[in-house]
Structures are given as structure tokens and as C-alpha cells.
Amino acid sequence: MLKKDHILWGVIPGLLLPILLLETWHSYSFPKYTTYDFWVYIETVKLMAPALSLTLLANLGAFFLFLQFKKYRATTGVLLATFFWGAVIVWAKFWGF
């Protein structure tokens, strides 16, 4: 059983929140596209890196939420997930998918 202040409590939302935010943007802005077509579209018009960069704002909210409740290990997990997404963004920016 994990304690409530564990790194995984931060890594899991840190990895999932950007994807959920991107899918929310997809469902509201491009409802006619399937998920696959949406991902192909944002890769084709070179929007993958900027879109992922904007979705990291969700991690900022999670970071400050955990910080407010003094869950310092969970904030470390969110930070680690944000570094992972940063590497993905750099990869998407310079080498594409």
C-alpha cells in the first residue's frame, strides 16, 4: 500500500494530465476527427511540440496543488513527469515522431 505522499502519486497525474488535456482540446476543437486523425494532423502541421508544451500547464496546477497540501514527494513525482514530457517535446520539436 502506497503512502499518500509518494512519488508515484505525482508521477501518474503528471504523465496523464497532459494527455487528458490534449484529448479534451481534440474533442472540443476537432470533433469530426478521430483520435488517430487528430494526432496525424497536429504532427503534419508541426503543432505537436507547441500543443504538448501548453498541456504542461496542467502539471503546473498539479504541482502547486500537491505543494499546497504539503505532499512534497508527490511534487517531486510531478516534476519528474514534467521532465519526461520536456524530453518528449524536445524530441518532437527537432526530430518529429
Side-chain angles (χ1 to χ4, degrees), residues 8 14 36 42 44 52 87 96-97:
L8 279 179
Y36 176 76
I42 65 173
T44 303
L52 285 174
F97 281 107

Side-chain angles (χ1 to χ4, degrees), residues 3-4 7 11 17-18 22-23 26 29-30 32 34 36 47-48 54 56-57 67-69 73 84 90-91 97:
K3 297 186 305 184
K4 293 199 182 207
I7 289 178
V11 169
L17 281 173
L22 196 59
E23 284 301 314
H26 159 240
S29 298
F30 302 94
K32 294 181 182 178
T34 65
Y36 176 76
L47 279 177
M48 185 67 76
L54 284 175
L56 286 185
L57 291 175
L67 198 60
Q68 180 71 28
F69 290 111
R73 289 190 180 123
F84 167 77
V90 168
W91 179 268
F97 281 107

Side-chain angles (χ1 to χ4, degrees), residues 27-94:
S27 65
Y28 284 111
S29 298
F30 302 94
K32 294 181 182 178
Y33 287 179
T34 65
T35 302
Y36 176 76
D37 291 337
F38 172 71
W39 284 90
V40 169
Y41 171 74
I42 65 173
E43 177 61 28
T44 303
V45 296
K46 304 291 184 206
L47 279 177
M48 185 67 76
L52 285 174
S53 297
L54 284 175
T55 60
L56 286 185
L57 291 175
N59 280 2
L60 183 66
F63 179 83
F64 282 116
L65 185 69
F66 284 130
L67 198 60
Q68 180 71 28
F69 290 111
K70 296 180 177 30
K71 305 293 184 191
Y72 298 118
R73 289 190 180 123
T75 58
T76 304
V78 173
L79 194 60
L80 288 173
T82 304
F83 286 146
F84 167 77
W85 282 116
V88 170
I89 290 167
V90 168
W91 179 268
K93 177 74 175 167
F94 293 108

